[in-house]
């Protein structure tokens, strides 16, 4: 049981490039989310999904796209990377609406130069 | 606005002593959930303890306990018998009726041998 797996762990991008951060969970969790963590701040919600085929925007969605074609996977796409997107990105999941503990992945450190 | 505030950027405690980390929040919701997360240098976000707002009894997990004061909107974390492995950033977070976790800015805890 691997929990929540994020790949890659580190990435450097040039301004304007696009890429996809991968997130997979093997716990059959219904709810999945993406957060970013910036220095001196707590985590902020980018996008979330309450089930396959259902996604919604969080607090800071601009510049990011998501889709949820399967229960297991929830990739985050950066359309055209900007230096302001330099951050640590976390994927999280929880079983469903009646459960409240989130499991986090180990994060992806992204640097945009 | 729904907010979570941690007013102690840094705390230190002698090994084996007790330390309390403070957290206050603001919300108009009646049903919400409160969490403390630990983030060691490995970057992993680890759930320490959680509290449902409708429960009057304070949550306890081994050496970790909370003091939940609903009227004062306060949710402090007490760590007893502090150990070197407790050194980390601690984040207070809440889910105020929707899918978003709102985080405080964190408290860096140092354990003095």
């Amino acid at each position: 049981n691997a929990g929540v797996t994020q790949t890659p762990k580190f990435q450097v991008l040039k301004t304007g490039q696009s890429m996809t951060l991968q997130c997979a969970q093997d716990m059959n969790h219904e709810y999945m989310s993406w957060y970013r963590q910036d220095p001196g701040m707590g985590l902020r919600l980018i996008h979330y999904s309450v089930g396959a085929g259902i996604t919604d925007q969080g607090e800071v969605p601009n510049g990011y796209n998501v889709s949820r074609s399967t229960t297991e996977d929830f990739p985050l796409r950066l359309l055209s990377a900007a230096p302001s997107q330099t951050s640590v990105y976390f994927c999280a999941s929880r079983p469903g609406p009646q459960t409240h503990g989130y499991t986090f992945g180990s994060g992806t450190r992204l640097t945009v130069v | 606005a729904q907010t979570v505030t941690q007013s102690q950027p840094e705390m230190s405690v002698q090994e084996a002593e007790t330390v309390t980390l403070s957290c206050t929040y603001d919300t108009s919701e009646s049903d919400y959930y409160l969490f403390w997360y630990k983030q060691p240098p490995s970057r992993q976000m680890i759930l320490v303890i959680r509290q449902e707002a409708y429960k009057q009894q304070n949550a306890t997990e081994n050496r970790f306990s909370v003091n939940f004061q609903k009227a004062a909107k306060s949710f402090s974390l007490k760590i007893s018998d502090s150990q070197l492995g407790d050194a980390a950033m601690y984040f207070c977070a809440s889910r105020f009726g929707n899918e978003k976790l709102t985080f405080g800015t964190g408290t860096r805890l140092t354990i003095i041998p």
Side-chain angles (χ1 to χ4, degrees):
Chain A
N1 191 339
V4 178
T5 302
Q6 290 185 237
T7 55
K9 294 194 184 305
F10 300 94
Q11 183 70 49
V12 178
L13 285 180
K14 294 183 178 178
T15 298
Q17 286 185 319
S18 63
M19 79 158 295
T20 300
L21 306 185
Q22 301 291 344
C23 176
Q25 52 91 8
D26 60 358
M27 300 172 286
N28 202 32
H29 284 183
E30 200 173 344
Y31 288 25
M32 297 184 75
S33 307
W34 276 103
Y35 288 83
R36 61 177 287 172
Q37 182 179 27
D38 299 302
M41 304 180 71
L43 281 68
R44 293 181 292 166
L45 180 64
I46 304 171
H47 285 286
Y48 67 95
S49 168
V50 298
I54 306 169
T55 64
D56 207 345
Q57 295 182 350
E59 185 180 357
V60 287
N62 292 340
Y64 308 95
N65 271 358
V66 292
S67 60
R68 184 101 178 269
S69 57
T70 67
T71 299
E72 296 77 20
D73 300 300
F74 190 43
L76 178 72
R77 282 181 286 277
L78 279 71
L79 308 172
S80 177
S84 60
Q85 293 180 303
T86 294
S87 188
V88 179
Y89 291 85
F90 287 94
C91 181
S93 72
R94 68 182 177 108
Q98 300 306 319
T99 57
H100 311 292
Y102 293 79
T103 300
F104 280 81
S106 58
T108 295
R109 180 176 292 279
L110 176 68
T111 302
V112 182
V113 298
Chain B
Q2 296 166 333
T3 60
V4 174
T5 302
Q6 294 179 251
S7 58
Q8 306 156 315
E10 297 183 350
M11 293 280 286
S12 60
V13 63
Q14 294 275 357
E15 194 175 359
E17 297 295 309
T18 295
V19 64
T20 297
L21 308 184
S22 300
C23 174
T24 58
Y25 60 92
D26 189 21
T27 182
S28 57
E29 298 284 340
S30 59
D31 185 22
Y32 51 91
Y33 303 87
L34 298 163
F35 307 88
W36 278 98
Y37 278 91
K38 171 185 178 181
Q39 187 177 42
S42 67
R43 194 171 72 197
Q44 183 76 43
M45 294 290 288
I46 302 166
L47 179 63
V48 175
I49 199 165
R50 68 171 181 250
Q51 173 84 42
E52 292 84 352
Y54 62 85
K55 290 186 177 179
Q56 293 186 339
Q57 185 173 6
N58 289 328
T60 299
E61 290 285 343
N62 300 312
R63 298 183 294 108
F64 299 87
S65 61
V66 299
N67 183 6
F68 175 45
Q69 301 289 328
K70 191 171 184 178
K73 296 181 179 176
S74 171
F75 182 60
S76 60
L77 175 70
K78 186 173 82 170
I79 306 174
S80 304
D81 185 26
S82 298
Q83 300 175 0
L84 294 178
D86 295 332
M89 282 289 287
Y90 285 81
F91 290 95
C92 179
S94 181
R95 190 166 67 83
F96 298 118
N98 56 30
E99 191 53 25
K100 183 177 88 167
L101 273 176
T102 299
F103 283 82
T105 52
T107 297
R108 183 174 302 280
L109 178 64
T110 300
I111 311 297
I112 303 167

